[in-house]
Amino acid sequence: MLPSVVGPLVSHPAMRRYPNNPVLSAKDVPYKATLVYNAGVCKYQGKYAMVFRNDFYDKPEGKLEGTNLGLAFSDDGLRWTVTDKPCFSMSDEENIRAYDPRLTVMDGRVVLCFALDTRHGLRGGIAVTDDFEKFDVRSLSVPDNRNMVLFPERIGGQYVRLERPFPVYSRGGRDRFDAWLSHSPDLVYWGDSRLVLAVEDVPFANDKVGPAAPPIKTARGWLTSFHAVDRDPDRGKNGWEQSWKKRYTAGIMLLDLEKPWKIIGMCKTPLLAPEADYEIAGGLRNNVIFPGGMILEDSGEVKLYYGSADTVECLATAHVDDLLALCTEPRRA
Ligand code: BMA
């Protein structure tokens, strides 16, 4: 049984928010932009690269006009410069919009995973690029599936992704969604799917869980973030929307290097829970922390980039050893 209400949550002291948060917001974007968030981040060709979601409105708190993916570069991962135009969008008779990008560097190329709203359901897409200009879309899943993230290496000779399908009929007609993993020989055909993390494995979720940033390889296992959602019927207006009853937090787990569907250990409390001003107030949907990029520096610092309140992009850091030390509890007691 899932808890009906999760109650107050705090961030783990191992995580430090970047004092100059947000690292990117609409004011940094030289084209129409309102909500700049849920970015993917990687290191590529000597720079940090970020692909972010940009929802543009007719006016703040007004009507959504469209969504595209913007591109920014940085020398230090802290100060970002946005290029002069969006780098990716998918909008035609069938496809409505691409969003929530994640980036993985693989064989010297960048792989972009994205969610795609279509007139026939939500799909997960995978595209490859060398220059952030030309994108070769390799696969689009059947609906409903999204939140795909690609591991940065083949495992057992296969590409591996985490993903979050949306079983509805079979799970009582409400959100009860879990994180899964699939394999592919070529980024096109995906299968050999396994359950990784179920919503009932996460004490701070009562709604759904899903992948966050692409995993980081360590000697002990794949250090892997996830998002967890709890719903509280007593939450009312929590942002621009009339009603927003969910809270999104970030969690951390360690996956087996060779069998990455196996959880070696996890932290049963949140890594990041909404607490800072920019996480709990003034956004489209307050109380949302949605990580999409995680970088391991040579110093051992881990940079975790996350969308905050579906409105701005933020950063928090921790030492990799401290994160590994958190991943101690079994998936099931
Ligand atoms: C999810 C996705 C994310 C978003 C989150 C909170 O379902 O749509 O893009 O950040 O909800 O609104």
Side-chain angles (χ1 to χ4, degrees):
M1 270 292 281
L2 297 177
S4 58
V5 174
V6 168
L9 294 173
V10 294
S11 306
H12 197 281
M15 293 303 289
R16 285 175 299 276
R17 286 173 175 80
Y18 176 53
N20 294 337
N21 270 341
V23 287
L24 204 74
S25 61
K27 69 173 173 27
D28 304 314
V29 179
Y31 44 86
K32 197 161 197 185
T34 310
L35 307 173
V36 166
Y37 64 116
N38 292 5
V41 182
C42 67
K43 275 187 172 174
Y44 186 61
Q45 297 181 344
K47 287 198 174 275
Y48 295 78
M50 175 189 284
V51 174
F52 58 87
R53 169 176 178 171
N54 170 33
D55 292 349
F56 49 99
Y57 282 61
D58 58 350
K59 58 174 191 289
E61 308 197 27
K63 198 167 139 291
L64 178 68
E65 290 185 337
T67 296
N68 50 41
L69 301 186
L71 175 64
F73 291 105
S74 170
D75 291 324
D76 58 9
L78 305 174
R79 285 159 299 175
W80 294 86
T81 305
V82 179
T83 60
D84 60 355
K85 56 179 193 315
C87 68
F88 189 83
S89 65
M90 267 178 100
S91 176
D92 53 34
E93 272 177 22
E94 174 60 16
N95 299 311
I96 301 165
R97 58 178 183 158
Y99 56 100
D100 290 0
R102 266 79 164 220
L103 301 177
T104 300
V105 177
M106 190 90 187
D107 304 332
R109 310 188 74 191
V110 177
V111 183
L112 167 75
C113 297
F114 56 96
L116 182 66
D117 288 353
T118 79
R119 307 219 181 270
H120 295 89
L122 305 177
R123 308 179 73 180
I126 298 185
V128 180
T129 184
D130 295 314
D131 55 10
F132 295 100
E133 283 178 22
K134 293 180 295 302
F135 288 86
D136 174 18
V137 177
R138 293 284 176 82
S139 73
L140 294 171
S141 73
V142 289
D144 279 346
N145 195 348
R146 69 178 174 197
N147 279 306
M148 283 161 191
V149 307
L150 187 71
F151 284 69
E153 284 179 18
R154 289 177 191 76
I155 304 172
Q158 303 274 307
Y159 293 94
V160 182
R161 75 182 182 197
L162 294 167
E163 60 198 323
R164 218 284 310 283
F166 294 46
V168 175
Y169 266 37
S170 55
R171 304 218 66 197
R174 53 174 300 180
D175 289 11
R176 282 290 179 271
F177 308 146
D178 316 296
W180 287 70
L181 174 151
S182 295
H183 296 83
S184 171
D186 53 10
L187 291 180
V188 179
Y189 298 97
W190 290 91
D192 189 15
S193 301
R194 322 261 178 136
L195 177 65
V196 179
L197 181 72
V199 60
E200 65 271 20
D201 298 331
V202 180
F204 45 99
N206 68 5
D207 186 271
K208 57 186 171 180
V209 296
I216 287 175
K217 192 176 193 184
T218 75
R220 290 186 39 209
W222 294 103
L223 186 62
T224 306
S225 56
F226 59 88
H227 68 260
V229 181
D230 74 282
R231 191 190 283 261
D232 183 340
D234 290 337
R235 288 188 196 123
K237 188 160 163 52
N238 265 309
W240 303 359
E241 290 186 317
Q242 272 320 306
S243 162
W244 176 243
K245 297 182 186 299
K246 293 180 193 168
R247 168 175 55 184
Y248 277 63
T249 53
I252 193 86
M253 61 184 171
L254 191 65
L255 303 178
D256 186 89
L257 285 176
E258 272 135 46
K259 295 181 178 144
W261 57 91
K262 289 197 167 164
I263 299 175
I264 298 173
M266 61 183 290
C267 183
K268 292 278 182 174
T269 56
L271 193 58
L272 272 184
E275 287 169 301
D277 294 352
Y278 44 83
E279 294 161 354
I280 60 172
L284 169 73
R285 291 174 170 177
N286 297 328
N287 302 319
V288 176
I289 285 180
F290 199 84
M294 191 159 66
I295 304 270
L296 174 59
E297 305 290 6
D298 293 340
S299 64
E301 182 190 68
V302 174
K303 290 189 168 76
L304 185 71
Y305 294 89
Y306 62 99
S308 174
D310 281 3
T311 301
V312 293
E313 185 66 20
C314 292
L315 169 66
T317 60
H319 196 280
V320 64
D321 293 341
D322 293 339
L323 295 181
L324 288 170
L326 293 179
C327 299
T328 52
E329 299 199 56
R331 177 184 158 200
R332 300 266 159 93

Coordinates of all heavy atoms in Angstrom, one line a residue, residues 21-95:
N21 N 21.8 30.2 -8.1 CA 20.7 29.7 -8.8 C 19.7 30.8 -9.1 O 19.5 31.7 -8.3 CB 20.0 28.6 -7.9 CG 20.6 27.2 -8.2 OD1 21.2 27.0 -9.2 ND2 20.4 26.3 -7.3
P22 N 18.9 30.7 -10.2 CA 19.0 29.6 -11.2 C 20.2 29.8 -12.2 O 20.7 31.0 -12.4 CB 17.7 29.8 -12.0 CG 17.3 31.2 -11.8 CD 17.8 31.6 -10.5
V23 N 20.7 28.7 -12.7 CA 21.8 28.8 -13.7 C 21.3 29.3 -15.1 O 22.1 29.8 -15.9 CB 22.6 27.5 -13.9 CG1 23.5 27.3 -12.7 CG2 21.8 26.3 -14.2
L24 N 20.0 29.1 -15.3 CA 19.5 29.6 -16.6 C 18.0 29.9 -16.4 O 17.3 29.1 -15.8 CB 19.6 28.5 -17.7 CG 19.6 29.1 -19.1 CD1 21.0 29.8 -19.4 CD2 19.4 28.0 -20.2
S25 N 17.6 31.0 -17.0 CA 16.1 31.3 -16.9 C 15.8 32.1 -18.2 O 16.7 32.4 -19.0 CB 15.8 32.1 -15.7 OG 16.5 33.3 -15.7
A26 N 14.5 32.4 -18.4 CA 14.0 33.0 -19.6 C 14.8 34.3 -20.0 O 15.0 34.6 -21.2 CB 12.5 33.2 -19.5
K27 N 15.2 35.0 -19.0 CA 15.9 36.3 -19.3 C 17.2 36.1 -20.0 O 17.8 37.0 -20.6 CB 16.0 37.1 -18.0 CG 17.0 36.6 -17.1 CD 17.3 37.5 -15.9 CE 18.1 36.9 -14.8 NZ 19.1 35.9 -15.1
D28 N 17.8 34.9 -20.0 CA 19.1 34.6 -20.6 C 18.9 34.2 -22.1 O 19.9 33.9 -22.7 CB 19.8 33.4 -19.9 CG 20.0 33.8 -18.4 OD1 20.4 34.9 -18.1 OD2 19.7 32.9 -17.6
V29 N 17.7 34.1 -22.5 CA 17.4 33.5 -23.8 C 17.1 34.6 -24.9 O 16.2 35.4 -24.6 CB 16.2 32.5 -23.7 CG1 15.9 31.9 -25.1 CG2 16.5 31.4 -22.7
P30 N 17.8 34.6 -26.0 CA 17.6 35.7 -26.9 C 16.5 35.6 -27.9 O 16.4 36.2 -28.9 CB 19.0 35.8 -27.7 CG 19.5 34.4 -27.6 CD 18.9 33.8 -26.4
Y31 N 15.5 34.7 -27.6 CA 14.3 34.5 -28.5 C 13.2 34.3 -27.5 O 13.4 34.3 -26.3 CB 14.5 33.4 -29.5 CG 15.1 32.1 -29.0 CD1 14.3 31.2 -28.3 CD2 16.5 31.9 -29.0 CE1 14.9 30.0 -27.8 CE2 17.1 30.8 -28.5 CZ 16.3 29.8 -27.9 OH 16.8 28.7 -27.4
K32 N 12.0 34.1 -28.1 CA 10.8 34.1 -27.2 C 10.9 32.9 -26.2 O 11.1 31.7 -26.6 CB 9.6 33.9 -28.1 CG 8.3 34.2 -27.3 CD 7.2 34.5 -28.3 CE 6.1 35.2 -27.5 NZ 4.9 35.5 -28.4
A33 N 10.9 33.2 -24.9 CA 11.1 32.2 -23.9 C 10.3 32.6 -22.7 O 10.3 33.8 -22.3 CB 12.5 32.0 -23.6
T34 N 9.6 31.7 -22.0 CA 8.9 32.0 -20.8 C 9.4 31.1 -19.7 O 9.8 31.5 -18.6 CB 7.4 31.9 -21.0 OG1 7.0 32.6 -22.1 CG2 6.7 32.4 -19.8
L35 N 9.4 29.7 -19.9 CA 9.8 28.8 -18.9 C 11.0 28.0 -19.5 O 10.9 27.4 -20.6 CB 8.6 27.8 -18.6 CG 7.3 28.4 -18.3 CD1 6.2 27.4 -18.2 CD2 7.4 29.2 -17.0
V36 N 12.1 28.1 -18.8 CA 13.4 27.5 -19.3 C 13.8 26.4 -18.2 O 14.2 26.8 -17.1 CB 14.4 28.6 -19.5 CG1 15.8 28.0 -19.6 CG2 14.0 29.4 -20.7
Y37 N 13.7 25.1 -18.5 CA 13.8 24.1 -17.4 C 14.0 22.8 -18.0 O 14.1 22.6 -19.2 CB 12.6 24.2 -16.5 CG 11.3 23.8 -17.1 CD1 10.6 22.7 -16.7 CD2 10.7 24.6 -18.1 CE1 9.3 22.4 -17.2 CE2 9.4 24.3 -18.6 CZ 8.8 23.2 -18.2 OH 7.6 22.8 -18.7
N38 N 14.1 21.8 -17.1 CA 14.2 20.3 -17.4 C 15.3 20.1 -18.5 O 15.0 19.5 -19.5 CB 12.9 19.8 -17.8 CG 11.9 19.7 -16.7 OD1 12.2 20.2 -15.6 ND2 10.8 19.2 -16.9
A39 N 16.5 20.6 -18.3 CA 17.6 20.5 -19.3 C 18.4 19.2 -19.2 O 18.5 18.6 -18.1 CB 18.5 21.7 -19.1
G40 N 18.9 18.8 -20.3 CA 20.0 17.8 -20.3 C 21.3 18.5 -20.5 O 21.4 19.5 -21.1
V41 N 22.3 17.9 -19.8 CA 23.7 18.6 -19.8 C 24.7 17.5 -20.1 O 24.6 16.4 -19.6 CB 23.9 19.2 -18.5 CG1 25.3 19.9 -18.4 CG2 22.8 20.3 -18.1
C42 N 25.7 17.8 -20.8 CA 26.9 16.9 -21.0 C 28.1 17.7 -21.2 O 28.1 19.0 -21.4 CB 26.6 16.0 -22.2 SG 26.6 16.8 -23.8
K43 N 29.3 17.1 -21.2 CA 30.5 17.7 -21.6 C 30.9 17.2 -23.0 O 30.9 16.0 -23.2 CB 31.7 17.3 -20.6 CG 31.7 18.1 -19.4 CD 33.0 17.8 -18.6 CE 33.2 18.7 -17.5 NZ 34.4 18.2 -16.6
Y44 N 31.1 18.1 -23.9 CA 31.3 17.7 -25.3 C 32.3 18.7 -25.9 O 32.1 19.9 -25.9 CB 29.9 17.8 -26.0 CG 30.0 17.2 -27.4 CD1 30.3 15.9 -27.7 CD2 29.6 18.1 -28.5 CE1 30.3 15.4 -29.0 CE2 29.6 17.6 -29.8 CZ 30.0 16.2 -30.0 OH 30.0 15.7 -31.3
Q45 N 33.3 18.1 -26.5 CA 34.3 18.9 -27.2 C 34.8 20.0 -26.4 O 34.9 21.2 -26.9 CB 33.8 19.3 -28.6 CG 33.4 18.1 -29.5 CD 32.9 18.5 -30.9 OE1 32.5 19.6 -31.1 NE2 32.9 17.6 -31.8
G46 N 35.2 19.8 -25.2 CA 35.8 20.7 -24.3 C 34.9 21.8 -23.7 O 35.4 22.7 -23.0
K47 N 33.6 21.7 -23.9 CA 32.7 22.6 -23.2 C 31.6 21.8 -22.5 O 31.4 20.6 -22.8 CB 32.1 23.5 -24.3 CG 33.0 24.5 -24.9 CD 32.2 25.6 -25.5 CE 33.1 26.8 -26.0 NZ 33.3 27.8 -24.9
Y48 N 30.9 22.5 -21.7 CA 29.6 22.0 -21.2 C 28.5 22.4 -22.2 O 28.5 23.6 -22.6 CB 29.3 22.6 -19.8 CG 30.2 22.3 -18.7 CD1 31.5 22.9 -18.6 CD2 29.9 21.3 -17.7 CE1 32.3 22.6 -17.6 CE2 30.8 21.0 -16.7 CZ 32.0 21.7 -16.6 OH 32.8 21.4 -15.6
A49 N 27.7 21.5 -22.5 CA 26.6 21.8 -23.4 C 25.3 21.5 -22.7 O 25.2 20.5 -21.9 CB 26.7 20.9 -24.7
M50 N 24.3 22.3 -22.9 CA 23.0 22.2 -22.3 C 21.9 22.3 -23.3 O 21.9 23.2 -24.1 CB 22.8 23.2 -21.2 CG 21.4 23.2 -20.6 SD 21.1 24.7 -19.5 CE 22.0 24.3 -18.1
V51 N 21.0 21.3 -23.4 CA 19.8 21.5 -24.2 C 18.6 21.6 -23.2 O 18.5 20.7 -22.3 CB 19.6 20.3 -25.1 CG1 18.3 20.4 -25.9 CG2 20.8 20.2 -26.2
F52 N 17.9 22.7 -23.3 CA 16.9 22.9 -22.3 C 15.5 23.0 -23.0 O 15.4 23.3 -24.2 CB 17.2 24.2 -21.5 CG 17.3 25.5 -22.4 CD1 16.2 26.2 -22.7 CD2 18.6 25.9 -22.9 CE1 16.3 27.4 -23.5 CE2 18.7 27.0 -23.7 CZ 17.6 27.8 -24.0
R53 N 14.5 22.8 -22.2 CA 13.1 22.9 -22.6 C 12.7 24.4 -22.5 O 12.9 25.0 -21.5 CB 12.2 22.1 -21.7 CG 10.8 22.3 -21.9 CD 10.0 21.3 -21.0 NE 8.6 21.6 -21.1 CZ 7.7 20.8 -20.6 NH1 8.0 19.7 -20.0 NH2 6.4 21.0 -20.7
N54 N 12.1 24.9 -23.5 CA 11.6 26.3 -23.5 C 10.2 26.3 -23.9 O 9.8 26.0 -25.0 CB 12.4 27.2 -24.5 CG 11.8 28.5 -24.7 OD1 11.2 29.1 -23.8 ND2 11.9 29.1 -25.9
D55 N 9.3 26.6 -22.9 CA 7.9 26.8 -23.2 C 7.7 28.3 -23.3 O 8.0 29.0 -22.4 CB 7.0 26.3 -22.0 CG 7.1 24.8 -21.9 OD1 7.6 24.1 -22.8 OD2 6.6 24.3 -20.8
F56 N 7.1 28.7 -24.5 CA 6.9 30.2 -24.6 C 5.4 30.5 -24.6 O 4.6 29.8 -25.2 CB 7.6 30.8 -25.8 CG 7.5 30.0 -27.1 CD1 6.5 30.5 -28.0 CD2 8.2 28.9 -27.4 CE1 6.4 29.8 -29.2 CE2 8.1 28.3 -28.6 CZ 7.2 28.7 -29.5
Y57 N 5.1 31.5 -23.9 CA 3.7 31.9 -23.6 C 3.4 33.3 -24.3 O 4.3 34.0 -24.6 CB 3.5 32.1 -22.1 CG 3.3 30.7 -21.4 CD1 4.3 29.8 -21.4 CD2 2.1 30.4 -20.7 CE1 4.1 28.6 -20.7 CE2 1.9 29.2 -20.0 CZ 2.9 28.3 -20.1 OH 2.7 27.1 -19.4
D58 N 2.1 33.6 -24.5 CA 1.8 34.9 -25.0 C 2.2 36.0 -24.0 O 2.6 37.1 -24.4 CB 0.3 35.0 -25.5 CG -0.6 34.7 -24.4 OD1 -0.2 34.2 -23.3 OD2 -1.8 35.0 -24.6
K59 N 2.1 35.7 -22.7 CA 2.5 36.5 -21.6 C 2.7 35.7 -20.4 O 2.1 34.6 -20.3 CB 1.6 37.7 -21.4 CG 0.1 37.3 -21.0 CD -0.6 38.5 -20.7 CE -2.0 38.2 -20.1 NZ -3.0 37.7 -20.8
P60 N 3.5 36.1 -19.4 CA 3.7 35.3 -18.2 C 2.3 35.0 -17.6 O 1.5 35.9 -17.5 CB 4.6 36.2 -17.3 CG 5.3 37.1 -18.3 CD 4.4 37.3 -19.4
E61 N 2.2 33.8 -17.2 CA 0.9 33.3 -16.6 C -0.2 33.4 -17.7 O -1.4 33.4 -17.3 CB 0.5 34.1 -15.3 CG 1.7 34.1 -14.3 CD 1.3 34.4 -12.9 OE1 0.1 34.2 -12.6 OE2 2.1 34.9 -12.2
G62 N 0.1 33.5 -18.9 CA -0.9 33.6 -20.0 C -1.1 32.2 -20.7 O -1.3 31.2 -20.0
K63 N -1.1 32.2 -22.0 CA -1.4 31.0 -22.8 C -0.1 30.5 -23.4 O 0.7 31.2 -24.0 CB -2.4 31.4 -23.8 CG -3.2 30.3 -24.4 CD -4.4 30.9 -25.3 CE -4.6 30.1 -26.5 NZ -3.6 30.2 -27.6
L64 N 0.0 29.1 -23.3 CA 1.2 28.5 -24.0 C 1.1 28.6 -25.5 O 0.0 28.2 -26.0 CB 1.2 27.0 -23.5 CG 2.3 26.2 -24.1 CD1 3.7 26.6 -23.6 CD2 2.1 24.7 -23.9
E65 N 2.1 29.1 -26.1 CA 2.1 29.2 -27.6 C 2.9 28.0 -28.2 O 2.6 27.6 -29.3 CB 2.7 30.5 -28.0 CG 1.9 31.7 -27.7 CD 2.4 33.0 -28.3 OE1 3.7 33.1 -28.5 OE2 1.6 33.9 -28.4
G66 N 3.9 27.6 -27.5 CA 4.7 26.5 -28.1 C 5.9 26.1 -27.2 O 6.1 26.7 -26.2
T67 N 6.5 25.0 -27.7 CA 7.7 24.5 -27.0 C 8.8 24.2 -28.0 O 8.5 23.6 -29.0 CB 7.3 23.2 -26.2 OG1 6.4 23.5 -25.2 CG2 8.6 22.6 -25.5
N68 N 10.0 24.6 -27.6 CA 11.2 24.1 -28.4 C 12.3 23.8 -27.5 O 12.2 24.0 -26.3 CB 11.6 25.2 -29.5 CG 11.7 26.6 -28.9 OD1 12.3 26.7 -27.8 ND2 11.3 27.6 -29.6
L69 N 13.4 23.3 -28.0 CA 14.5 23.0 -27.2 C 15.6 24.0 -27.6 O 16.0 24.1 -28.8 CB 15.0 21.5 -27.5 CG 14.0 20.4 -27.2 CD1 14.7 19.0 -27.4 CD2 13.4 20.5 -25.8
G70 N 16.1 24.6 -26.6 CA 17.2 25.6 -26.8 C 18.6 25.0 -26.4 O 18.7 24.0 -25.8
L71 N 19.6 25.7 -26.8 CA 21.0 25.2 -26.6 C 21.8 26.3 -25.9 O 21.8 27.5 -26.3 CB 21.5 24.9 -28.0 CG 23.0 24.5 -28.1 CD1 23.2 23.2 -27.5 CD2 23.4 24.4 -29.6
A72 N 22.6 25.9 -25.0 CA 23.5 26.8 -24.3 C 24.9 26.1 -24.1 O 25.0 24.9 -24.0 CB 23.0 27.2 -22.9
F73 N 25.9 26.9 -24.0 CA 27.3 26.4 -23.8 C 27.9 27.1 -22.6 O 27.5 28.2 -22.3 CB 28.2 26.6 -25.0 CG 27.8 25.7 -26.2 CD1 27.1 26.2 -27.3 CD2 28.1 24.3 -26.2 CE1 26.7 25.4 -28.3 CE2 27.7 23.5 -27.2 CZ 27.0 24.0 -28.3
S74 N 28.9 26.4 -22.0 CA 29.5 27.0 -20.8 C 30.9 26.5 -20.7 O 31.2 25.3 -21.1 CB 28.7 26.6 -19.5 OG 29.4 27.0 -18.4
D75 N 31.8 27.3 -20.1 CA 33.2 26.8 -19.9 C 33.4 26.2 -18.5 O 34.3 25.5 -18.3 CB 34.2 28.0 -20.0 CG 34.3 28.5 -21.5 OD1 34.3 27.6 -22.3 OD2 34.4 29.7 -21.7
D76 N 32.4 26.5 -17.6 CA 32.6 26.1 -16.2 C 31.4 25.3 -15.7 O 31.4 24.9 -14.5 CB 33.0 27.2 -15.3 CG 32.0 28.4 -15.3 OD1 30.9 28.2 -15.9 OD2 32.2 29.4 -14.8
G77 N 30.3 25.2 -16.5 CA 29.1 24.6 -16.0 C 28.3 25.5 -15.1 O 27.2 25.0 -14.6
L78 N 28.7 26.7 -14.9 CA 28.0 27.6 -14.0 C 27.4 28.8 -14.8 O 26.2 29.2 -14.6 CB 29.0 28.2 -13.0 CG 29.7 27.1 -12.1 CD1 30.7 27.8 -11.2 CD2 28.7 26.3 -11.3
R79 N 28.2 29.4 -15.7 CA 27.8 30.6 -16.5 C 27.5 30.1 -17.9 O 28.5 29.6 -18.5 CB 28.8 31.7 -16.4 CG 28.8 32.4 -15.1 CD 30.1 33.1 -14.8 NE 31.2 32.1 -14.8 CZ 32.5 32.5 -14.7 NH1 32.9 33.7 -14.6 NH2 33.4 31.5 -14.7
W80 N 26.3 30.3 -18.4 CA 25.9 29.7 -19.6 C 25.6 30.8 -20.7 O 25.0 31.9 -20.3 CB 24.7 28.9 -19.4 CG 24.9 27.7 -18.6 CD1 25.0 27.6 -17.2 CD2 25.3 26.4 -19.0 NE1 25.3 26.3 -16.8 CE2 25.5 25.6 -17.9 CE3 25.5 25.8 -20.3 CZ2 25.9 24.2 -18.0 CZ3 25.8 24.5 -20.4 CH2 26.0 23.7 -19.3
T81 N 25.9 30.5 -21.9 CA 25.5 31.4 -23.0 C 24.6 30.7 -23.9 O 25.0 29.6 -24.4 CB 26.8 31.9 -23.8 OG1 27.7 32.5 -22.8 CG2 26.4 32.9 -24.8
V82 N 23.4 31.2 -24.2 CA 22.4 30.6 -25.1 C 22.7 31.0 -26.5 O 23.0 32.1 -26.8 CB 21.0 31.0 -24.6 CG1 20.0 30.4 -25.5 CG2 20.8 30.6 -23.2
T83 N 22.7 30.0 -27.4 CA 22.9 30.3 -28.8 C 21.7 31.1 -29.4 O 20.6 31.2 -28.7 CB 23.1 29.0 -29.6 OG1 21.9 28.2 -29.5 CG2 24.3 28.3 -29.1
D84 N 21.8 31.6 -30.6 CA 20.8 32.6 -31.1 C 19.5 32.0 -31.5 O 18.5 32.7 -31.7 CB 21.4 33.4 -32.2 CG 21.8 32.5 -33.4 OD1 21.7 31.3 -33.3 OD2 22.2 33.0 -34.5
K85 N 19.4 30.7 -31.6 CA 18.1 30.1 -32.0 C 17.9 28.7 -31.4 O 18.9 28.1 -31.0 CB 17.9 30.1 -33.5 CG 18.9 29.3 -34.3 CD 18.6 29.3 -35.7 CE 19.4 28.3 -36.6 NZ 20.9 28.2 -36.3
P86 N 16.7 28.3 -31.2 CA 16.4 26.9 -30.7 C 17.1 25.9 -31.6 O 17.3 26.1 -32.8 CB 14.9 26.7 -30.7 CG 14.4 28.1 -30.9 CD 15.4 28.9 -31.6
C87 N 17.5 24.7 -31.0 CA 18.2 23.7 -31.8 C 17.3 22.6 -32.2 O 17.7 21.8 -33.2 CB 19.4 23.2 -31.1 SG 19.0 22.2 -29.6
F88 N 16.2 22.4 -31.6 CA 15.4 21.2 -32.0 C 13.9 21.5 -31.7 O 13.6 22.0 -30.6 CB 15.9 20.0 -31.2 CG 15.3 18.7 -31.6 CD1 15.8 17.9 -32.6 CD2 14.2 18.1 -30.9 CE1 15.3 16.7 -33.0 CE2 13.6 16.9 -31.2 CZ 14.2 16.2 -32.3
S89 N 13.0 21.0 -32.5 CA 11.6 21.0 -32.2 C 11.0 19.9 -33.2 O 11.5 19.6 -34.2 CB 10.9 22.4 -32.5 OG 11.0 22.7 -33.8
M90 N 9.8 19.4 -32.8 CA 9.1 18.5 -33.7 C 7.7 18.9 -33.6 O 7.0 18.7 -32.6 CB 9.3 17.1 -33.2 CG 10.4 16.3 -33.8 SD 10.7 14.7 -33.2 CE 9.9 13.7 -34.5
S91 N 7.2 19.5 -34.6 CA 5.8 19.9 -34.6 C 5.3 19.8 -36.1 O 5.8 20.5 -37.0 CB 5.8 21.4 -34.1 OG 4.5 21.9 -34.2
D92 N 4.3 19.0 -36.3 CA 3.6 18.9 -37.6 C 2.2 18.3 -37.3 O 1.7 18.4 -36.2 CB 4.5 17.9 -38.5 CG 4.8 16.6 -37.9 OD1 3.9 16.1 -37.1 OD2 5.9 16.0 -38.1
E93 N 1.6 17.8 -38.4 CA 0.2 17.3 -38.2 C 0.1 16.3 -37.1 O -0.9 16.3 -36.3 CB -0.3 16.7 -39.5 CG -0.8 17.7 -40.4 CD -1.3 17.1 -41.7 OE1 -1.5 15.8 -41.8 OE2 -1.3 17.8 -42.7
E94 N 1.1 15.4 -36.9 CA 1.0 14.4 -35.9 C 1.7 14.7 -34.6 O 1.2 14.4 -33.5 CB 1.6 13.1 -36.5 CG 1.7 11.9 -35.6 CD 0.4 11.4 -35.0 OE1 -0.7 11.8 -35.5 OE2 0.4 10.7 -34.0
N95 N 2.8 15.4 -34.7 CA 3.6 15.6 -33.5 C 3.3 17.0 -33.0 O 3.4 18.0 -33.7 CB 5.1 15.5 -33.8 CG 5.4 14.1 -34.3 OD1 5.1 13.1 -33.7 ND2 6.1 14.0 -35.4

